[in-house]
Amino acid sequence: LTNNILCYDSDIHQCTACPPSQFKHREPNKAMDSDSDAHSTGKIETCQPQPRHNLPSPVIPLTGDDWEHVYEPAEDTFLFMDALQEELPFLMERETRTVLELGCGSGCVTAFLAQHLRGATFFASDINPHALQAARRVFDANKVEVELFQADLLSAWRPRGNIDVLLFNPPYVPTPKEEMTSSWIARSWAGGDRGREVVDRIFPSLQEHLSAGGC
């Protein structure tokens, strides 16, 4: 996790190529028969990570109406959780105090880490007001304390130099520039030129916002 940038590619609003070693596909509230081929049904609704570390995924009490404006947890979301599971011993050992997620969307990534990383103070932000409402419901459902605020990336974060862990699953799909602000949901994936316009905005300011040893 430290000094590494992990990039994942995925299709939006559908599950078509989840690595079989990483995920089980099933319809909501229905166990999948081990001999069945979920992709053949055409009814795949959710992706569920296999319990490689015996840590439960967060409850996500959101509906189809929410997904009209908020990014629905997908393959990249669960891969992010997998990476955080593997880094938990490191985060615990270094006595992580302040965790901030940018572009939190539904809030499930922060909810997941907050359930398992005790003692840290959690913050989450998004420019999308619909995402903030959805994330609050997710945090409440999972009984985790997270301070939410609306902001464009790190523009509203004060003070500087105190973020121990910065979480961000940025928009990375190459799109025309105008698509980046065409709707609230488009902001969650539209990355503009080469898919890098959002990440290129944040990289120059990372050093001043991270704590000594922050990642």
Side-chain angles (χ1 to χ4, degrees):
L1 191 63
T2 309
N3 298 325
N4 284 302
I5 301 169
L6 305 179
C7 297
Y8 304 109
D9 195 6
S10 64
D11 293 326
I12 305 302
H13 295 313
Q14 57 184 330
C15 176
T16 58
C18 297
S21 62
Q22 301 269 359
F23 299 102
K24 291 181 179 178
H25 306 276
R26 64 167 175 82
E27 298 178 48
N29 303 318
K30 180 179 179 181
M32 188 184 76
D33 185 278
S34 59
D35 296 325
S36 67
D37 180 359
H39 286 282
S40 68
T41 67
K43 297 181 180 179
I44 298 170
E45 299 288 346
T46 60
C47 294
Q48 295 296 322
Q50 293 187 359
R52 298 189 302 168
H53 301 276
N54 298 318
L55 296 180
S57 295
V59 175
I60 306 175
L62 305 180
T63 67
D65 291 339
D66 296 298
W67 309 136
E68 292 293 323
H69 305 289
V70 181
Y71 184 73
E72 183 174 1
E75 304 96 290
D76 52 349
T77 312
F78 293 115
L79 285 168
F80 200 168
M81 291 184 196
D82 285 345
L84 290 173
Q85 289 180 24
E86 294 178 358
E87 296 294 339
L88 268 176
F90 166 75
L91 297 178
M92 292 175 177
E93 182 180 352
R94 69 193 301 271
E95 298 183 356
T96 299
R97 294 181 298 276
T98 302
V99 179
L100 168 65
E101 181 178 15
L102 301 179
C104 66
S106 68
C108 64
V109 171
T110 290
F112 169 79
L113 188 58
Q115 286 177 317
H116 305 296
L117 183 62
R118 302 298 182 181
T121 301
F122 285 83
F123 301 85
S125 73
D126 205 298
I127 195 172
N128 180 351
H130 301 282
L132 297 178
Q133 295 172 12
R136 173 50 60 201
R137 287 156 56 200
V138 169
F139 297 150
D140 290 346
N142 289 278
K143 297 180 173 57
V144 294
E145 294 187 11
V146 181
E147 184 172 333
L148 269 169
F149 60 97
Q150 186 174 19
D152 179 16
L153 301 180
L154 287 164
S155 61
W157 183 257
R158 299 292 186 276
R160 298 183 177 181
N162 70 332
I163 301 174
D164 296 312
V165 176
L166 180 66
L167 306 173
F168 191 26
N169 183 10
Y172 54 78
V173 178
T175 63
K177 187 176 184 66
E178 56 270 20
E179 186 174 341
M180 296 176 65
T181 55
S182 61
S183 66
W184 288 119
I185 188 63
R187 287 176 180 266
S188 66
W189 72 70
D193 182 39
R194 297 177 299 130
R196 293 192 54 89
E197 291 197 36
V198 176
V199 293
D200 283 347
R201 284 178 55 205
I202 194 172
F203 282 161
S205 63
L206 283 182
Q207 191 68 34
E208 63 184 281
H209 285 286
L210 293 176
S211 64
C215 58

